[in-house]
């Protein structure tokens, strides 16, 4: 990256993060908020984990950082970094971060969407009873291309993950994103919220939506019988070798402007895909 491009990205960063309000007492703050936020984001992208490692990153890269931000009192201590992060509004920071990432993806040839997987995980060792009924479940939105978590919400149980997804979407700037969710998140209300926010989505479809899954399966069966090209479907096969195995993956993508999912609603326009894979290990092959 040349210096001119770095300066452009810095200007974009400052513009996007202006929405993050500074709750500190004016006149008694030694470190500009924008400088601290730039340090935090740069350090986390570089692999820093927590305020102490962010401080270490800042000290190691201070000469580089001073080309872009003001550090009138040097690198803030880890205590200061942690305190600032604890008092700013998370929703403002998350919205600013996604807006900045959206700016970074702009290229002369057009915009590349940001893929945002949303998934729930159970924190290991977070339960206290044998049934694990009180384990902590966290639903996260992840900017996978940048290695950054855009937001997290804790829920009481895995079954409540679906209620956290709309809250995460409300916290994010959805324009220019592709939100991906597993079958649990395949809900009309969630799809509507993503579209209204200017984003797109990729949802897994399983038997929790039996009629929709059956309609998509039938569309593939019809296309395979009539011919993929003749049906307007696209396919691609990828072969990979490594670690003593050979794997072949076949992808097929189709679309429909009039796919009837069930009697209550109609998908006006939908893209859907299928993946099949075969792995060869020690001379034996089998589908996955």
């Amino acid at each position: 990256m040349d210096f001119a491009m770095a300066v452009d990205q810095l200007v974009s960063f400052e513009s996007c993060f202006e929405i993050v309000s500074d709750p500190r007492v004016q006149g008694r703050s030694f470190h500009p908020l924008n400088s601290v936020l730039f340090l935090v984001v740069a350090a986390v992208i570089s692999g820093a984990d927590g305020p102490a490692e962010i401080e270490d990153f800042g000290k190691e890269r201070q000469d580089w950082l001073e080309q872009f931000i003001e550090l009138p009192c040097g690198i803030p201590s880890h205590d200061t970094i942690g305190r600032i992060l604890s008092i700013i509004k998370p929703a403002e920071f998350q919205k600013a971060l996604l807006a900045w990432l959206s700016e970074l993806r702009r290229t002369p040839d057009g915009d590349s969407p940001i893929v945002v997987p949303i998934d729930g995980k159970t924190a290991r060792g977070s339960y206290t009873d044998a049934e694990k009924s009180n384990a902590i479940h966290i639903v996260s939105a992840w900017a996978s291309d940048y290695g950054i978590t855009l937001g997290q919400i804790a829920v009481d149980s895995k079954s409540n993950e679906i209620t956290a997804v709309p809250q995460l979407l409300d916290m994010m700037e959805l324009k220019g994103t592709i939100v991906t969710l597993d079958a649990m998140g395949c809900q009309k209300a969630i799809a509507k919220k993503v579209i209204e926010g200017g984003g797109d989505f990729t949802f897994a479809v399983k038997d929790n939506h039996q009629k929709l899954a059956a309609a998509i399966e039938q569309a593939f069966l019809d296309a395979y019988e009539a011919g993929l090209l003749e049906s307007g479907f696209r396919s691609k096969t990828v072969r990979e070798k490594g670690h003593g195995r050979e794997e072949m993956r076949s992808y097929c993508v189709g679309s429909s402007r009039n796919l009837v999912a069930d009697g209550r609603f109609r998908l006006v326009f939908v893209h859907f895909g299928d993946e099949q894979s075969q792995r060869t290990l020690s001379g034996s092959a089998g589908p996955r």
Side-chain angles (χ1 to χ4, degrees):
M1 181 190 302
D2 59 33
F3 185 77
M5 183 180 294
V7 171
D8 289 342
Q9 293 184 0
L10 174 62
V11 172
S12 171
F13 183 94
E14 293 176 344
S15 175
C16 293
F17 279 82
E18 282 180 349
I19 67 171
V20 181
S21 54
D22 191 347
R24 298 175 297 174
V25 178
Q26 297 301 314
R28 297 177 59 185
S29 303
F30 301 104
H31 302 282
L33 179 62
N34 194 272
S35 297
V36 176
L37 297 180
F38 183 90
L39 167 63
V40 169
V41 172
V44 171
I45 290 177
S46 299
D49 184 11
E53 292 188 11
I54 293 173
E55 179 187 2
D56 292 340
F57 171 87
K59 290 179 177 179
E60 293 174 2
R61 302 288 194 278
Q62 184 167 346
D63 291 342
W64 177 81
L65 290 166
E66 287 177 337
Q67 298 179 74
F68 308 108
I69 58 176
E70 297 180 3
L71 296 170
C73 298
I75 300 299
S77 68
H78 60 275
D79 289 331
T80 298
I81 294 170
R83 185 165 56 251
I84 291 174
L85 292 178
S86 70
I87 61 176
I88 62 174
K89 295 180 179 179
E92 292 180 351
F93 181 83
Q94 289 162 351
K95 186 175 182 178
L97 180 61
L98 187 55
W100 182 61
L101 295 178
S102 299
E103 291 292 327
L104 290 185
R105 66 181 167 80
R106 300 188 188 280
T107 66
D109 299 326
D111 293 348
S112 300
I114 297 176
V115 179
V116 181
I118 296 180
D119 194 16
K121 299 293 183 183
T122 301
R124 293 182 60 185
S126 62
Y127 53 88
T128 58
D129 57 10
E131 291 77 21
K132 304 182 182 180
S133 59
N134 62 343
I136 298 174
H137 303 273
I138 299 176
V139 182
S140 302
W142 177 259
S144 53
D145 289 343
Y146 299 93
I148 295 176
T149 299
L150 299 174
Q152 291 183 327
I153 293 180
V155 295
D156 295 334
S157 65
K158 191 171 182 64
S159 62
N160 290 333
E161 288 180 10
I162 194 65
T163 64
V165 174
Q167 298 177 52
L168 272 177
L169 296 177
D170 287 337
M171 296 164 61
M172 300 189 302
E173 173 62 53
L174 294 172
K175 186 176 181 180
T177 65
I178 299 177
V179 176
T180 70
L181 279 159
D182 60 16
M184 182 180 291
C186 183
Q187 305 289 334
K188 290 183 292 181
I190 294 176
K192 181 180 179 181
K193 184 177 285 289
V194 174
I195 294 300
E196 289 177 345
D200 292 293
F201 60 84
T202 299
F203 292 167
V205 179
K206 294 184 178 179
D207 287 340
N208 59 332
H209 291 286
Q210 293 184 357
K211 293 183 179 180
L212 177 58
I216 294 176
E217 182 179 3
Q218 188 61 51
F220 275 109
L221 292 175
D222 293 343
Y224 282 121
E225 183 176 351
L228 295 178
L229 290 177
E230 291 77 5
S231 302
F233 282 47
R234 293 178 296 165
S235 61
K236 181 178 181 179
T237 299
V238 178
R239 290 179 171 84
E240 297 178 344
K241 293 182 179 180
H243 305 288
R245 63 191 179 205
E246 180 178 352
E247 188 163 7
M248 181 179 69
R249 293 178 179 268
S250 297
Y251 302 91
C252 182
V253 179
S255 62
S256 172
R257 293 186 178 274
N258 202 27
L259 182 67
V260 177
D262 62 35
R264 296 172 298 166
F265 70 98
R266 184 184 301 270
L267 297 175
V268 178
F269 185 76
V270 61
H271 293 284
F272 43 84
D274 176 46
E275 176 193 353
Q276 299 180 9
S277 64
Q278 181 170 303
R279 175 181 294 176
T280 300
L281 288 172
S282 301
S284 61
R288 294 181 63 208

